[in-house]
PDB file of all heavy atoms in Angstrom:
ATOM      1  N   TYR I1209       5.680  10.926  -6.398  1.00  0.00           N
ATOM      2  CA  TYR I1209       4.857  10.001  -5.645  1.00  0.00           C
ATOM      3  C   TYR I1209       3.515  10.032  -6.284  1.00  0.00           C
ATOM      4  O   TYR I1209       2.868   8.930  -6.416  1.00  0.00           O
ATOM      5  CB  TYR I1209       4.770  10.549  -4.234  1.00  0.00           C
ATOM      6  CG  TYR I1209       3.872   9.693  -3.290  1.00  0.00           C
ATOM      7  CD1 TYR I1209       4.335   8.494  -2.865  1.00  0.00           C
ATOM      8  CD2 TYR I1209       2.667  10.123  -2.870  1.00  0.00           C
ATOM      9  CE1 TYR I1209       3.534   7.689  -1.984  1.00  0.00           C
ATOM     10  CE2 TYR I1209       1.918   9.414  -2.010  1.00  0.00           C
ATOM     11  CZ  TYR I1209       2.376   8.152  -1.605  1.00  0.00           C
ATOM     12  OH  TYR I1209       1.537   7.380  -0.736  1.00  0.00           O
ATOM     13  N   THR I1210       2.991  11.213  -6.640  1.00  0.00           N
ATOM     14  CA  THR I1210       1.650  11.293  -7.244  1.00  0.00           C
ATOM     15  C   THR I1210       1.571  10.504  -8.532  1.00  0.00           C
ATOM     16  O   THR I1210       0.648   9.729  -8.853  1.00  0.00           O
ATOM     17  CB  THR I1210       1.289  12.698  -7.496  1.00  0.00           C
ATOM     18  OG1 THR I1210       1.194  13.413  -6.274  1.00  0.00           O
ATOM     19  CG2 THR I1210      -0.074  12.813  -8.197  1.00  0.00           C
ATOM     20  N   MET I1211       2.656  10.607  -9.430  1.00  0.00           N
ATOM     21  CA  MET I1211       2.690   9.852 -10.625  1.00  0.00           C
ATOM     22  C   MET I1211       2.552   8.332 -10.330  1.00  0.00           C
ATOM     23  O   MET I1211       1.854   7.607 -11.031  1.00  0.00           O
ATOM     24  CB  MET I1211       4.010  10.098 -11.340  1.00  0.00           C
ATOM     25  CG  MET I1211       4.071  11.411 -12.125  1.00  0.00           C
ATOM     26  SD  MET I1211       5.826  11.670 -12.679  1.00  0.00           S
ATOM     27  CE  MET I1211       6.017  10.343 -13.750  1.00  0.00           C
ATOM     28  N   SER I1212       3.304   7.900  -9.334  1.00  0.00           N
ATOM     29  CA  SER I1212       3.267   6.412  -8.999  1.00  0.00           C
ATOM     30  C   SER I1212       1.866   5.989  -8.499  1.00  0.00           C
ATOM     31  O   SER I1212       1.435   4.937  -8.922  1.00  0.00           O
ATOM     32  CB  SER I1212       4.279   6.081  -7.887  1.00  0.00           C
ATOM     33  OG  SER I1212       3.946   6.589  -6.625  1.00  0.00           O
ATOM     34  N   LYS I1213       1.187   6.817  -7.742  1.00  0.00           N
ATOM     35  CA  LYS I1213      -0.124   6.421  -7.282  1.00  0.00           C
ATOM     36  C   LYS I1213      -1.217   6.582  -8.272  1.00  0.00           C
ATOM     37  O   LYS I1213      -2.211   5.798  -8.245  1.00  0.00           O
ATOM     38  CB  LYS I1213      -0.397   7.187  -6.008  1.00  0.00           C
ATOM     39  CG  LYS I1213       0.473   6.849  -4.790  1.00  0.00           C
ATOM     40  CD  LYS I1213       0.519   5.369  -4.508  1.00  0.00           C
ATOM     41  CE  LYS I1213       1.383   4.981  -3.268  1.00  0.00           C
ATOM     42  NZ  LYS I1213       1.340   3.594  -2.977  1.00  0.00           N
ATOM     43  N   PHE I1214      -1.107   7.548  -9.191  1.00  0.00           N
ATOM     44  CA  PHE I1214      -2.010   7.546 -10.332  1.00  0.00           C
ATOM     45  C   PHE I1214      -1.839   6.243 -11.131  1.00  0.00           C
ATOM     46  O   PHE I1214      -2.853   5.710 -11.617  1.00  0.00           O
ATOM     47  CB  PHE I1214      -1.777   8.732 -11.215  1.00  0.00           C
ATOM     48  CG  PHE I1214      -2.547   9.973 -10.980  1.00  0.00           C
ATOM     49  CD1 PHE I1214      -2.287  10.725  -9.801  1.00  0.00           C
ATOM     50  CD2 PHE I1214      -3.509  10.405 -11.790  1.00  0.00           C
ATOM     51  CE1 PHE I1214      -3.042  11.844  -9.528  1.00  0.00           C
ATOM     52  CE2 PHE I1214      -4.253  11.470 -11.540  1.00  0.00           C
ATOM     53  CZ  PHE I1214      -4.055  12.260 -10.409  1.00  0.00           C
ATOM     54  N   ALA I1215      -0.624   5.773 -11.276  1.00  0.00           N
ATOM     55  CA  ALA I1215      -0.327   4.584 -12.066  1.00  0.00           C
ATOM     56  C   ALA I1215      -0.945   3.343 -11.320  1.00  0.00           C
ATOM     57  O   ALA I1215      -1.487   2.419 -11.972  1.00  0.00           O
ATOM     58  CB  ALA I1215       1.092   4.379 -12.291  1.00  0.00           C
ATOM     59  N   VAL I1216      -0.845   3.295 -10.035  1.00  0.00           N
ATOM     60  CA  VAL I1216      -1.374   2.208  -9.243  1.00  0.00           C
ATOM     61  C   VAL I1216      -2.912   2.133  -9.423  1.00  0.00           C
ATOM     62  O   VAL I1216      -3.540   1.029  -9.575  1.00  0.00           O
ATOM     63  CB  VAL I1216      -1.008   2.326  -7.706  1.00  0.00           C
ATOM     64  CG1 VAL I1216      -1.905   1.411  -6.855  1.00  0.00           C
ATOM     65  CG2 VAL I1216       0.461   2.052  -7.512  1.00  0.00           C
ATOM     66  N   ARG I1217      -3.567   3.336  -9.437  1.00  0.00           N
ATOM     67  CA  ARG I1217      -5.041   3.311  -9.591  1.00  0.00           C
ATOM     68  C   ARG I1217      -5.362   2.894 -10.971  1.00  0.00           C
ATOM     69  O   ARG I1217      -6.339   2.106 -11.158  1.00  0.00           O
ATOM     70  CB  ARG I1217      -5.527   4.752  -9.386  1.00  0.00           C
ATOM     71  CG  ARG I1217      -7.059   4.895  -9.575  1.00  0.00           C
ATOM     72  CD  ARG I1217      -7.590   6.170  -8.965  1.00  0.00           C
ATOM     73  NE  ARG I1217      -7.091   7.395  -9.537  1.00  0.00           N
ATOM     74  CZ  ARG I1217      -7.674   8.084 -10.536  1.00  0.00           C
ATOM     75  NH1 ARG I1217      -8.782   7.574 -11.050  1.00  0.00           N
ATOM     76  NH2 ARG I1217      -7.173   9.204 -10.959  1.00  0.00           N
ATOM     77  N   ALA I1218      -4.541   3.235 -11.972  1.00  0.00           N
ATOM     78  CA  ALA I1218      -4.844   2.803 -13.372  1.00  0.00           C
ATOM     79  C   ALA I1218      -4.689   1.265 -13.481  1.00  0.00           C
ATOM     80  O   ALA I1218      -5.443   0.617 -14.091  1.00  0.00           O
ATOM     81  CB  ALA I1218      -3.876   3.493 -14.363  1.00  0.00           C
ATOM     82  N   LEU I1219      -3.731   0.770 -12.831  1.00  0.00           N
ATOM     83  CA  LEU I1219      -3.465  -0.727 -12.811  1.00  0.00           C
ATOM     84  C   LEU I1219      -4.668  -1.409 -12.157  1.00  0.00           C
ATOM     85  O   LEU I1219      -5.125  -2.404 -12.734  1.00  0.00           O
ATOM     86  CB  LEU I1219      -2.180  -1.005 -12.017  1.00  0.00           C
ATOM     87  CG  LEU I1219      -1.817  -2.498 -11.832  1.00  0.00           C
ATOM     88  CD1 LEU I1219      -1.743  -3.236 -13.175  1.00  0.00           C
ATOM     89  CD2 LEU I1219      -0.557  -2.719 -10.989  1.00  0.00           C
ATOM     90  N   ALA I1220      -5.134  -0.933 -11.061  1.00  0.00           N
ATOM     91  CA  ALA I1220      -6.290  -1.534 -10.417  1.00  0.00           C
ATOM     92  C   ALA I1220      -7.476  -1.524 -11.298  1.00  0.00           C
ATOM     93  O   ALA I1220      -8.204  -2.525 -11.379  1.00  0.00           O
ATOM     94  CB  ALA I1220      -6.586  -0.819  -9.062  1.00  0.00           C
ATOM     95  N   GLU I1221      -7.766  -0.398 -11.942  1.00  0.00           N
ATOM     96  CA  GLU I1221      -8.945  -0.283 -12.792  1.00  0.00           C
ATOM     97  C   GLU I1221      -8.836  -1.224 -14.005  1.00  0.00           C
ATOM     98  O   GLU I1221      -9.772  -1.857 -14.483  1.00  0.00           O
ATOM     99  CB  GLU I1221      -9.192   1.145 -13.208  1.00  0.00           C
ATOM    100  CG  GLU I1221      -9.614   2.042 -12.053  1.00  0.00           C
ATOM    101  CD  GLU I1221      -9.833   3.451 -12.412  1.00  0.00           C
ATOM    102  OE1 GLU I1221      -9.794   3.746 -13.658  1.00  0.00           O
ATOM    103  OE2 GLU I1221     -10.201   4.250 -11.552  1.00  0.00           O
ATOM    104  N   THR I1222      -7.614  -1.382 -14.581  1.00  0.00           N
ATOM    105  CA  THR I1222      -7.421  -2.273 -15.705  1.00  0.00           C
ATOM    106  C   THR I1222      -7.583  -3.732 -15.234  1.00  0.00           C
ATOM    107  O   THR I1222      -8.269  -4.499 -15.919  1.00  0.00           O
ATOM    108  CB  THR I1222      -5.918  -2.036 -16.260  1.00  0.00           C
ATOM    109  OG1 THR I1222      -5.758  -0.758 -16.629  1.00  0.00           O
ATOM    110  CG2 THR I1222      -5.691  -3.026 -17.385  1.00  0.00           C
ATOM    111  N   LEU I1223      -7.068  -4.084 -14.175  1.00  0.00           N
ATOM    112  CA  LEU I1223      -7.128  -5.502 -13.648  1.00  0.00           C
ATOM    113  C   LEU I1223      -8.545  -5.805 -13.372  1.00  0.00           C
ATOM    114  O   LEU I1223      -9.027  -6.982 -13.611  1.00  0.00           O
ATOM    115  CB  LEU I1223      -6.272  -5.663 -12.443  1.00  0.00           C
ATOM    116  CG  LEU I1223      -4.709  -5.684 -12.617  1.00  0.00           C
ATOM    117  CD1 LEU I1223      -4.075  -5.615 -11.235  1.00  0.00           C
ATOM    118  CD2 LEU I1223      -4.306  -6.928 -13.409  1.00  0.00           C
ATOM    119  N   ARG I1224      -9.315  -4.907 -12.877  1.00  0.00           N
ATOM    120  CA  ARG I1224     -10.740  -5.183 -12.494  1.00  0.00           C
ATOM    121  C   ARG I1224     -11.477  -5.701 -13.732  1.00  0.00           C
ATOM    122  O   ARG I1224     -12.228  -6.653 -13.613  1.00  0.00           O
ATOM    123  CB  ARG I1224     -11.389  -3.952 -11.847  1.00  0.00           C
ATOM    124  CG  ARG I1224     -12.664  -4.247 -11.159  1.00  0.00           C
ATOM    125  CD  ARG I1224     -13.182  -3.012 -10.417  1.00  0.00           C
ATOM    126  NE  ARG I1224     -12.203  -2.520  -9.396  1.00  0.00           N
ATOM    127  CZ  ARG I1224     -11.565  -1.333  -9.424  1.00  0.00           C
ATOM    128  NH1 ARG I1224     -11.868  -0.492 -10.405  1.00  0.00           N
ATOM    129  NH2 ARG I1224     -10.748  -1.068  -8.501  1.00  0.00           N
ATOM    130  N   GLY I1225     -11.293  -5.024 -14.792  1.00  0.00           N
ATOM    131  CA  GLY I1225     -11.940  -5.504 -16.068  1.00  0.00           C
ATOM    132  C   GLY I1225     -11.448  -6.815 -16.601  1.00  0.00           C
ATOM    133  O   GLY I1225     -12.116  -7.626 -17.095  1.00  0.00           O
ATOM    134  N   GLU I1226     -10.107  -7.002 -16.486  1.00  0.00           N
ATOM    135  CA  GLU I1226      -9.506  -8.175 -16.986  1.00  0.00           C
ATOM    136  C   GLU I1226      -9.794  -9.392 -16.205  1.00  0.00           C
ATOM    137  O   GLU I1226      -9.864 -10.541 -16.711  1.00  0.00           O
ATOM    138  CB  GLU I1226      -8.000  -7.991 -17.091  1.00  0.00           C
ATOM    139  CG  GLU I1226      -7.538  -6.937 -18.089  1.00  0.00           C
ATOM    140  CD  GLU I1226      -6.044  -6.793 -18.133  1.00  0.00           C
ATOM    141  OE1 GLU I1226      -5.349  -7.354 -17.326  1.00  0.00           O
ATOM    142  OE2 GLU I1226      -5.616  -6.042 -19.091  1.00  0.00           O
ATOM    143  N   LEU I1227      -9.939  -9.303 -14.855  1.00  0.00           N
ATOM    144  CA  LEU I1227     -10.071 -10.452 -13.943  1.00  0.00           C
ATOM    145  C   LEU I1227     -11.459 -10.741 -13.536  1.00  0.00           C
ATOM    146  O   LEU I1227     -11.733 -11.770 -12.871  1.00  0.00           O
ATOM    147  CB  LEU I1227      -9.204 -10.246 -12.784  1.00  0.00           C
ATOM    148  CG  LEU I1227      -7.629 -10.113 -13.059  1.00  0.00           C
ATOM    149  CD1 LEU I1227      -6.920  -9.753 -11.743  1.00  0.00           C
ATOM    150  CD2 LEU I1227      -7.102 -11.365 -13.703  1.00  0.00           C
ATOM    151  N   HIS I1228     -12.426  -9.913 -13.844  1.00  0.00           N
ATOM    152  CA  HIS I1228     -13.788 -10.089 -13.425  1.00  0.00           C
ATOM    153  C   HIS I1228     -14.376 -11.508 -13.800  1.00  0.00           C
ATOM    154  O   HIS I1228     -14.928 -12.184 -12.973  1.00  0.00           O
ATOM    155  CB  HIS I1228     -14.723  -9.016 -13.950  1.00  0.00           C
ATOM    156  CG  HIS I1228     -16.152  -9.248 -13.566  1.00  0.00           C
ATOM    157  ND1 HIS I1228     -16.676  -8.970 -12.271  1.00  0.00           N
ATOM    158  CD2 HIS I1228     -17.182  -9.652 -14.324  1.00  0.00           C
ATOM    159  CE1 HIS I1228     -17.895  -9.218 -12.287  1.00  0.00           C
ATOM    160  NE2 HIS I1228     -18.313  -9.695 -13.485  1.00  0.00           N
ATOM    161  N   ALA I1229     -14.091 -11.870 -15.068  1.00  0.00           N
ATOM    162  CA  ALA I1229     -14.738 -13.170 -15.582  1.00  0.00           C
ATOM    163  C   ALA I1229     -14.052 -14.350 -14.859  1.00  0.00           C
ATOM    164  O   ALA I1229     -14.608 -15.443 -14.868  1.00  0.00           O
ATOM    165  CB  ALA I1229     -14.591 -13.195 -17.059  1.00  0.00           C
ATOM    166  N   GLU I1230     -12.813 -14.120 -14.330  1.00  0.00           N
ATOM    167  CA  GLU I1230     -12.088 -15.244 -13.685  1.00  0.00           C
ATOM    168  C   GLU I1230     -12.314 -15.249 -12.151  1.00  0.00           C
ATOM    169  O   GLU I1230     -11.753 -16.097 -11.490  1.00  0.00           O
ATOM    170  CB  GLU I1230     -10.618 -15.136 -14.005  1.00  0.00           C
ATOM    171  CG  GLU I1230     -10.354 -15.272 -15.455  1.00  0.00           C
ATOM    172  CD  GLU I1230      -8.935 -15.135 -15.871  1.00  0.00           C
ATOM    173  OE1 GLU I1230      -8.188 -16.136 -15.706  1.00  0.00           O
ATOM    174  OE2 GLU I1230      -8.480 -13.992 -16.216  1.00  0.00           O
ATOM    175  N   GLY I1231     -13.219 -14.437 -11.732  1.00  0.00           N
ATOM    176  CA  GLY I1231     -13.585 -14.447 -10.248  1.00  0.00           C
ATOM    177  C   GLY I1231     -12.630 -13.877  -9.316  1.00  0.00           C
ATOM    178  O   GLY I1231     -12.723 -14.088  -8.111  1.00  0.00           O
ATOM    179  N   VAL I1232     -11.630 -13.059  -9.804  1.00  0.00           N
ATOM    180  CA  VAL I1232     -10.701 -12.433  -8.900  1.00  0.00           C
ATOM    181  C   VAL I1232     -11.091 -11.020  -8.658  1.00  0.00           C
ATOM    182  O   VAL I1232     -11.257 -10.240  -9.606  1.00  0.00           O
ATOM    183  CB  VAL I1232      -9.263 -12.513  -9.503  1.00  0.00           C
ATOM    184  CG1 VAL I1232      -8.266 -11.752  -8.602  1.00  0.00           C
ATOM    185  CG2 VAL I1232      -8.791 -13.896  -9.713  1.00  0.00           C
ATOM    186  N   ALA I1233     -11.332 -10.647  -7.438  1.00  0.00           N
ATOM    187  CA  ALA I1233     -11.746  -9.366  -7.028  1.00  0.00           C
ATOM    188  C   ALA I1233     -10.518  -8.370  -7.012  1.00  0.00           C
ATOM    189  O   ALA I1233      -9.482  -8.848  -6.604  1.00  0.00           O
ATOM    190  CB  ALA I1233     -12.434  -9.330  -5.699  1.00  0.00           C
ATOM    191  N   VAL I1234     -10.674  -7.171  -7.389  1.00  0.00           N
ATOM    192  CA  VAL I1234      -9.597  -6.204  -7.333  1.00  0.00           C
ATOM    193  C   VAL I1234     -10.051  -4.958  -6.582  1.00  0.00           C
ATOM    194  O   VAL I1234     -11.091  -4.363  -6.915  1.00  0.00           O
ATOM    195  CB  VAL I1234      -9.136  -5.760  -8.775  1.00  0.00           C
ATOM    196  CG1 VAL I1234      -8.069  -4.667  -8.713  1.00  0.00           C
ATOM    197  CG2 VAL I1234      -8.697  -6.918  -9.615  1.00  0.00           C
ATOM    198  N   THR I1235      -9.402  -4.679  -5.468  1.00  0.00           N
ATOM    199  CA  THR I1235      -9.758  -3.572  -4.610  1.00  0.00           C
ATOM    200  C   THR I1235      -8.656  -2.508  -4.582  1.00  0.00           C
ATOM    201  O   THR I1235      -7.480  -2.819  -4.346  1.00  0.00           O
ATOM    202  CB  THR I1235     -10.008  -4.045  -3.174  1.00  0.00           C
ATOM    203  OG1 THR I1235     -11.017  -5.046  -3.202  1.00  0.00           O
ATOM    204  CG2 THR I1235     -10.447  -2.904  -2.291  1.00  0.00           C
TER     205      THR I1235
END
Side-chain angles (χ1 to χ4, degrees):
Y1209 182 73
T1210 298
M1211 284 172 61
S1212 74
K1213 293 304 184 179
F1214 267 72
V1216 167
R1217 178 162 64 95
L1219 176 60
E1221 293 184 1
T1222 300
L1223 288 170
R1224 194 172 300 120
E1226 292 180 352
L1227 298 175
H1228 175 75
E1230 297 178 81
V1232 178
V1234 179
T1235 302

